[in-house]
Amino acid sequence: MAVQVQENGRLFTISTKNTTYQMKADRYGVLLHLYYGRRCEGSMEYLLTYADRGYAANINDAGSDRTYSLDVLPQEFPCDGTGDMRSPALSLEYGNRIRGCDMRFAGYTVREGKYGLKGLPAVYAEEGESQTLEIVLRDTAGLAEVTLLYGVLPELDIITRSVLVRNISENEIRIEKIMSANLDFVGGRYDLITFYGRHCMERNFQRTPVAHMEQCIGSRRGTSSHQFNPMMILAGPDTTETAGSCYSMQFVYSGGFSGSAGMDQYDQTRMQMGLMTEKFSYPLMPGEVFTAPEVIMSYSAQGLGTLSNNLQECIRKHVCRGKWRDKVRPVLLNSWEAYYMDFDGADILALAEQAAELGMDMLVLDDGWFGKRDDDTSGLGDWYVNEEKLGGKMKELIYWVHRKGLKFGLWIEPEMINEDSDLYREHPDWAMAIPGRKPVRGRMQLVLDFSRKEVVDYVFESICKVLDEDTIDYVKWDYNRSIADVYSHTASDQGRVLYDYILGLYDFLERLSQRYPDMLIEGCSGGGGRFDAGMLYYTPQIWCSDNTDAIDRLRIQYGTSFGYPASCVGAHVSVSPNEQNGRVTPLKTRGITAMSGTFGYELNPEKLSAEEKNEIRTQVARRKEVAELIHNGKYYRLTSPFDGEAAAWEFVSEDGTDVLLNVVNLEIHGNRPVTYIRLQGLSSGAAYRDEESGRVYPADALMEAGLPMPAPFGEYGALQIRFKMV
Ligand code: GLA
C-alpha cells in the first residue's frame, strides 16, 4: 500500500519504492508536514520542535501556549492569515478586500488509481499502478474547502500534487494565490537548480545555494516560457550525478507559473510551485470549484541521474499519451530552414524526393502554406490552403508525397492572428488587446483569445477542414509570441483570463488528438518556449529550440534532460555554418547531437555535395538502428557541456545489454592530456564489446577509470560507440 493512514486517521504516510512522505493533522487540525526523503518507517513527528520565539504569532486555539507558531512549524499547505509570515500556498480574498483563510483538517479518502483533473493534463497510471490520497481542509470561517490531492507512482518514486478549492460560502470569493505544491524542510542546506534561457538558448543549467531570501523563477508571459522552465531541483550541496539527495518539482502546465525556494529566519527551507500570481485573481461563485494544475515531485538519494531517470520515465509513460507514446518517431525533413516561406509546390515535392532518396520517413511543410503568408506580417488566422502558391490542392501535394513512400506533416499556429488577415478584419475583438490601447505586437502578430469557446471552436473547425483534405500524419503546433496585453472582451472577470486561456488551449489539443488518434503532434513555441509536461500530455514531442547549432544544442539538450526524456526532444541536423549563430561544425557532430532527440533534418539536400548526401544516408540508417535504444533506453549525463572539455552522454537499454556512448569534443589544444569518459549504468561484473572495433572492455573499469578518448584533431569532433554486453 502506497498510502498508509494511522493514528486515528490523522497521520498520513506515502511510500514509494525508495522514498517516504509524511504529514499529520495535529491537535488543532493543522496539517503539518513531517518528512520527505529516503524511505523510512515509523512516525517522524519527533522532528517537530516547539519554542517561544520572539515575534512569532500564535493561533488562537493554542491559548496561552506561546510555543505553537505556524511561522515556524513545517506545513503542508500554508495559508495567508494564520501568522505564518513566510510565503503562503493559498491566499483568498472576500468581502471588502479581506484577505485571510485558515484551513483545518476535515477528513480524507484513499482511493485506488491515480486522480485526474478536469480540463487539465495530469499524470495517469494503469490499474494497480497508483493510489490517490485526498485530504480535505475546511476554512475556520466557512469560506472555502480545499482538497489536497496526492497521487503516487511507487515504482518511479513519484508523488504528484494538486489542489481543488471550493467556495462553500454564500458570496463570491477570489483566489489571489495558489501554489499546487509546498514543501517545508525543518533543516538542511540545499542548492537550487533551475533552467533559465532565452529564445534560441533554452534551459541553461544554473545551480545556486539556497540562501536567506526567496529565490524565484517563473513566467508572466502566459506560457511556460523560454526564460525559465517550470522545473526546479533542490539538491544537497555535495549532490552529484551519481550520489546525494535531491528533490524536484515539475509543473504539468503550459501557462504562467511561479517557483521559489528560500531559507527562513530559522534556516528552514520552503519550496513552492504553482500558478503565476500576477494578472491572476480567480473569482469563485458559491459552490464553484477551482482546479490548480499538477506538480510532479520526486526524491532521489542517489544523485541527479537517478532523479532524472525517474522523471523521464514518468513523462514518457505517464504523461505522454497516444499511439506514438512508445513508438520510434519518423525521421523527418522539415522545409523551414530549407525554404523559410519562399517556396512553391514544386520545391516541396523536390524536398520530398530528396527525403525519400536519403531514407527519411516524413516530409514536413512548415510555415507559409496558408492564407496570404509570404512573410511573418500576414496570414495567421486564415487557415485555408494557398493553392496559388502551392500550384494545386493540398490533397494533390499530400498524394504525391505519400506516393514517394513518405508521411506528410504540416505546420500550424492556431492561437495566433495577424492584423493583416481576413479573420482579423472580420473579428478584431477575437484578438487580445486592452480597450483604449493599441495591441502589443510580437513578431507582428496578436494572440487569439482562447479563453473564449467560440474562438477555439472556429479555429478548430477551420484547421480540421485542412486536416481532413487527406491523411496528414503529423502537425507541428507552433506559438510564436508571449501574451502581453491580457484582456478578453467577453470574460466575466479579467483575473481569470490567463488560466481560462490555457483551458481553451488544452480543450483544442484534446479534441484534436481524439479526432486524429494516428496523427503525431509536435509542440513548438519559437523552439522550446513551451517545453513543459502540460504540452507533453498532448504532444509527445516538442521542438526543443530554434537553435540547431550542435554545440549550443549540447547545452540545451543537457538542461532539458534533467526533467524530460530524449523521446520528446525535437532535434534536427541543419547546415553549417549554422543559420542561427554561424558556427561551423562537422556533419557527423550534428548528426550525433540530433540523434539524441526525435531526429530529422532542416535543410535543402539539393544544396549539399554528393559526399554529404552519402553521409546523411548513413546517418539516417544508423539512427534507425539505434532509435529504439534512444527512445526507450535510460539516459545518462556523463559530463556537463557547461564546464568540461567534452560533452558526453549515454543511453543504456532497460536490460543493460545495449549501450550507446556519445561524445562531442568542445576544446582543442596542442599536445593535450587524454580525456577519459566514465560510463554509467553498465552491468557490474559484465564485459562490453565495442561493436565497431570488436574490442572488449570490463564494465567496472569503463565505469571506474573510463574510456580514453582519441586525441581530437580539428574543432568539435564527435564520436559514437555502441557497446553490446558480451
Ligand atoms: C517558429 C518555429 C520554427 C518555424 C517558424 C515558422 O520560430 O520554432 O521552427 O516553424 O516558427 O514561422
Side-chain angles (χ1 to χ4, degrees):
M1 288 284 274
V3 180
Q4 242 187 316
V5 186
Q6 291 157 304
E7 299 190 7
N8 258 333
R10 297 180 83 90
L11 179 70
F12 302 92
T13 310
I14 301 174
S15 310
T16 68
K17 199 167 164 192
N18 304 296
T19 74
T20 295
Y21 188 99
Q22 197 175 65
M23 57 206 147
K24 179 173 180 170
D26 75 359
R27 58 194 185 280
Y28 303 120
V30 174
L31 190 63
L32 296 179
H33 176 79
L34 298 184
Y35 176 85
Y36 187 28
R38 187 188 296 270
R39 180 158 179 155
C40 66
E41 309 295 327
S43 166
M44 267 67 83
E45 195 174 356
Y46 80 92
L47 287 167
L48 303 175
T49 60
Y50 299 88
D52 181 0
R53 309 268 199 184
Y55 274 85
N58 314 113
I59 54 169
N60 204 273
D61 332 28
S64 58
D65 178 5
R66 303 206 320 204
T67 69
Y68 188 96
S69 176
L70 296 184
D71 204 14
V72 186
L73 287 164
Q75 289 167 78
E76 200 52 29
F77 196 62
C79 296
D80 187 6
T82 58
D84 182 350
M85 304 299 177
R86 296 168 290 180
S87 175
L90 182 68
S91 184
L92 298 180
E93 191 177 283
Y94 61 106
N96 185 17
R97 307 201 68 94
I98 307 168
R99 284 281 182 116
C101 57
D102 185 355
M103 296 290 168
R104 304 293 177 92
F105 183 68
Y108 75 92
T109 359
V110 179
R111 289 192 269 121
E112 285 310 309
K114 166 71 178 56
Y115 66 84
L117 298 175
K118 197 168 162 235
L120 287 170
V123 164
Y124 65 90
E126 303 302 324
E127 222 183 294
E129 268 183 341
S130 178
Q131 272 189 323
T132 293
L133 166 65
E134 289 187 14
I135 296 186
V136 180
L137 309 174
R138 200 168 296 130
D139 177 50
T140 48
L143 203 59
E145 197 175 82
V146 155
T147 305
L148 303 180
L149 296 167
Y150 298 82
V152 200
L153 294 177
E155 280 306 304
L156 294 178
D157 293 330
I158 296 281
I159 297 175
T160 66
R161 292 184 62 174
S162 180
V163 185
L164 310 177
V165 181
R166 181 212 296 270
N167 181 352
I168 55 169
S169 78
E170 267 152 27
N171 301 299
E172 181 185 316
I173 63 172
R174 306 186 75 88
I175 303 174
E176 296 296 318
K177 177 179 183 187
I178 183 158
M179 293 291 108
S180 301
N182 179 90
L183 197 53
D184 279 358
F185 297 84
V186 287
R189 291 278 166 170
Y190 301 97
D191 287 345
L192 174 64
I193 298 175
T194 51
F195 303 89
Y196 72 95
R198 55 187 182 272
H199 177 231
C200 281
M201 208 57 226
E202 299 88 339
R203 290 173 293 287
N204 294 278
F205 178 90
Q206 173 172 274
R207 183 170 182 162
T208 57
V210 172
H212 291 90
M213 60 168 118
E214 221 178 298
Q215 296 185 46
C216 300
I217 59 164
S219 159
R220 43 178 82 80
R221 292 168 179 268
T223 62
S224 48
S225 88
H226 297 86
Q227 285 68 19
F228 285 107
N229 193 260
M231 163 171 70
M232 52 189 200
I233 297 171
L234 274 193
D238 302 324
T239 296
T240 63
E241 280 292 332
T242 51
S245 287
C246 41
Y247 300 84
S248 63
M249 284 188 184
Q250 209 175 2
F251 210 21
V252 190
Y253 188 65
S254 312
F257 77 98
S258 161
S260 67
M263 244 192 296
D264 71 5
Q265 52 184 338
Y266 302 113
D267 299 350
Q268 310 187 107
T269 295
R270 173 168 286 178
M271 181 189 198
Q272 293 184 330
M273 186 167 267
L275 290 170
M276 169 47 75
T277 48
E278 287 175 39
K279 295 191 186 132
F280 172 84
S281 168
Y282 209 91
L284 270 193
M285 291 304 164
E288 276 182 358
V289 178
F290 178 84
T291 307
E294 182 166 86
V295 167
I296 299 172
M297 302 196 304
S298 191
Y299 167 80
S300 152
Q302 267 97 43
L304 297 163
T306 301
L307 184 81
S308 290
N309 282 153
N310 287 334
L311 297 176
Q312 290 162 355
E313 186 74 358
C314 175
I315 297 283
R316 200 151 58 87
K317 295 275 194 208
H318 299 276
V319 174
C320 294
R321 299 177 299 164
K323 178 182 155 180
W324 287 98
R325 185 187 79 169
D326 303 317
K327 279 188 137 179
V328 164
R329 313 288 159 72
V331 176
L332 64 87
L333 179 58
N334 180 297
S335 66
W336 182 242
E337 285 194 30
Y339 285 108
Y340 296 99
M341 294 186 213
D342 187 14
F343 58 79
D344 59 23
D347 295 328
I348 300 306
L349 275 183
L351 266 190
E353 184 76 48
Q354 295 282 318
E357 237 178 64
L358 296 172
M360 300 179 200
D361 307 313
M362 181 158 77
L363 190 275
V364 175
L365 175 52
D366 209 281
D367 199 352
W369 56 265
F370 54 91
K372 181 184 136 221
R373 183 78 173 165
D374 293 322
D375 57 41
D376 58 17
T377 63
S378 63
L380 288 170
D382 296 341
W383 297 108
Y384 50 83
V385 180
N386 186 341
E387 294 182 353
E388 203 181 318
K389 181 167 177 176
L390 288 186
K393 293 199 174 311
M394 182 64 83
K395 199 179 168 55
E396 288 155 11
L397 182 65
I398 299 174
Y399 172 82
W400 285 112
V401 172
H402 282 161
R403 270 287 293 267
K404 295 187 194 305
L406 296 172
K407 294 181 187 305
F408 179 79
L410 204 56
W411 179 97
I412 54 175
E413 192 175 3
E415 298 153 86
M416 296 293 163
I417 184 164
N418 283 115
E419 288 152 279
D420 185 359
S421 69
D422 295 343
L423 187 64
Y424 188 78
R425 283 180 280 273
E426 202 173 321
H427 295 289
D429 67 308
W430 283 12
M432 296 250 221
I434 297 174
R437 300 182 190 280
K438 297 254 190 296
V440 179
R441 295 177 178 139
R443 203 193 190 197
M444 286 302 283
Q445 63 198 48
L446 309 183
V447 185
L448 278 171
D449 181 1
F450 262 39
S451 74
R452 287 170 70 170
K453 189 170 178 327
E454 72 270 33
V455 176
V456 173
D457 286 349
Y458 173 87
V459 182
F460 183 75
E461 288 310 323
S462 49
I463 286 182
C464 286
K465 246 188 226 155
V466 179
L467 297 182
D468 287 341
E469 278 209 21
D470 201 338
T471 307
I472 292 186
D473 307 285
Y474 157 111
V475 297
K476 175 175 170 190
W477 179 302
D478 212 338
Y479 179 95
N480 279 311
R481 61 162 292 181
S482 311
I483 305 179
D485 26 11
V486 181
Y487 184 86
S488 168
H489 285 270
T490 55
S492 58
D493 192 304
Q494 299 303 322
R496 61 186 298 159
V497 171
L498 285 176
Y499 176 86
D500 288 353
Y501 178 99
I502 298 294
L503 291 188
L505 164 69
Y506 289 152
D507 171 47
F508 192 132
L509 282 162
E510 182 63 35
R511 281 195 260 164
L512 195 69
S513 39
Q514 280 182 18
R515 181 160 166 159
Y516 306 100
D518 294 337
M519 189 170 76
L520 172 61
I521 311 176
E522 175 154 0
C524 178
S525 171
R530 201 158 60 177
F531 201 110
D532 57 66
M535 285 308 285
L536 287 167
Y537 187 72
Y538 307 95
T539 70
Q541 64 189 57
I542 299 176
W543 182 227
C544 189
S545 178
D546 270 350
N547 186 345
T548 52
D549 166 51
I551 305 307
D552 278 351
R553 271 298 185 120
L554 292 173
R555 290 184 170 198
I556 297 168
Q557 291 174 197
Y558 170 86
T560 306
S561 77
F562 279 84
Y564 307 93
S567 59
C568 70
V569 171
H572 300 165
V573 173
S574 64
V575 294
S576 173
N578 179 268
E579 302 215 347
Q580 287 82 44
N581 65 9
R583 195 188 328 248
V584 175
T585 51
L587 181 51
K588 182 173 178 191
T589 305
R590 284 175 270 149
I592 287 176
T593 307
M595 261 186 222
S596 290
T598 57
F599 202 58
Y601 292 78
E602 184 116 357
L603 42 72
N604 186 352
E606 273 181 350
K607 295 194 177 153
L608 303 179
S609 67
E611 229 169 79
E612 285 173 310
K613 282 205 230 179
N614 270 338
E615 190 172 341
I616 288 183
R617 205 172 284 114
T618 317
Q619 246 171 29
V620 172
R622 167 67 166 186
R623 157 69 200 198
K624 289 186 178 180
E625 276 166 37
V626 294
E628 187 69 35
L629 177 55
I630 289 169
H631 194 285
N632 294 320
K634 270 198 176 172
Y635 180 93
Y636 292 91
R637 292 177 294 268
L638 304 180
T639 69
S640 163
F642 284 85
D643 47 30
E645 290 188 343
W649 68 101
E650 178 199 22
F651 296 93
V652 181
S653 64
E654 202 64 51
D655 62 4
T657 58
D658 198 359
V659 177
L660 190 71
L661 170 68
N662 304 278
V663 188
V664 175
N665 188 54
L666 296 173
E667 285 184 24
I668 35 172
H669 303 287
N671 195 17
R672 185 177 119 159
V674 177
T675 302
Y676 286 83
I677 299 293
R678 294 164 67 191
L679 277 71
Q680 290 179 33
L682 309 183
S683 179
S684 179
Y688 286 81
R689 178 185 291 112
D690 174 340
E691 275 227 305
E692 208 175 319
S693 71
R695 193 156 175 186
V696 175
Y697 303 89
D700 296 287
L702 283 178
M703 294 193 286
E704 189 64 32
L707 185 74
M709 292 293 106
F713 194 79
E715 220 155 22
Y716 305 125
L719 182 98
Q720 187 177 63
I721 304 177
R722 190 173 190 180
F723 296 96
K724 289 272 176 74
M725 194 196 274
V726 200

